[in-house]
Amino acid sequence: ESPLQDVQILTRFCAAEIPYWHAFVEHYKNLGVRNLHVCVENGQDYQWLQRATDCNGLERLTVQTLDSGINPSDALEQFNLDAIREFSPYTLMVDCDEYFVDLGSGYSLAKLFSIFANSAQLQIPWLMRPILQPGDELRGGFWGHVGKPAVRSEQMLAVETDHGFLVSGNGLATSRAPAVPVFFFGCVLVHFWGRSFRDCLIKVF
């Protein structure tokens, strides 16, 4: 079983991601992801993704244009989850500099959801790994202050923040459904913040 079998990716894209996009897509395809859903804020990014993304191995690439006049995090909250809910049992929300890694436990996300059968969300912690020069990508890292969520697709109602979903439970909507941290199972998101010295400048300014 692949680490991310039955898991779809929800991410966001802008032109600054172009040098890293192909590596991001290949990483998640190699982990078993077959459905990729991307938020953009302008037509140029939309067209670039449709033209440049290697869809070999994917069942589906969905690109949705969001409001470019507001903060990107606020725009993400407008993503229509109804459009992607039925494609995969689980949804992982990550940015293009966040790479899911199993540190050797052998647990897939589907297996973890079966272990925590009453939980709608899992929280995958950040392992921060900034890159300022060649070779830094092979170094260790340090724990980040938060992480990103994986959710049961049938229970996701909306993107509450870029770190969590609004989910349904017992027929009711709740904005604070507990997300089980899974770092002790060896599942992390290696967060390449940033991916080059230039990337660091873009993020800061």
Side-chain angles (χ1 to χ4, degrees), residues 124-146:
I124 307 170
W126 279 338
L127 180 64
M128 308 297 291
R129 189 178 294 174
I131 300 175
L132 296 179
Q133 58 189 355
D136 283 352
E137 70 277 4
L138 301 177
R139 302 179 68 183
F142 55 91
W143 290 117
H145 67 290
V146 69

Side-chain angles (χ1 to χ4, degrees), residues 9-87:
I9 294 295
L10 173 59
T11 190
R12 47 191 172 180
F13 176 90
C14 67
E17 309 290 355
I18 288 176
Y20 318 103
W21 177 249
H22 300 298
F24 174 82
V25 173
E26 287 305 309
H27 176 80
Y28 281 102
K29 286 198 296 187
N30 289 337
L31 293 181
V33 170
R34 295 295 174 260
N35 293 296
L36 179 61
H37 311 290
V38 192
C39 303
V40 299
E41 295 189 11
N42 62 66
Q44 287 183 327
D45 290 344
Y46 181 97
Q47 293 173 7
W48 188 91
L49 283 172
Q50 296 284 8
R51 181 178 67 254
T53 302
D54 180 5
C55 292
N56 184 35
L58 291 176
E59 294 178 6
R60 184 175 289 102
L61 170 69
T62 302
V63 185
Q64 184 168 325
T65 304
L66 304 180
D67 187 350
S68 62
I70 59 177
N71 179 283
S73 294
D74 294 334
L76 182 62
E77 296 172 17
Q78 298 181 358
F79 187 88
N80 179 16
L81 296 177
D82 290 338
I84 69 172
R85 189 184 321 281
E86 297 181 358
F87 295 142

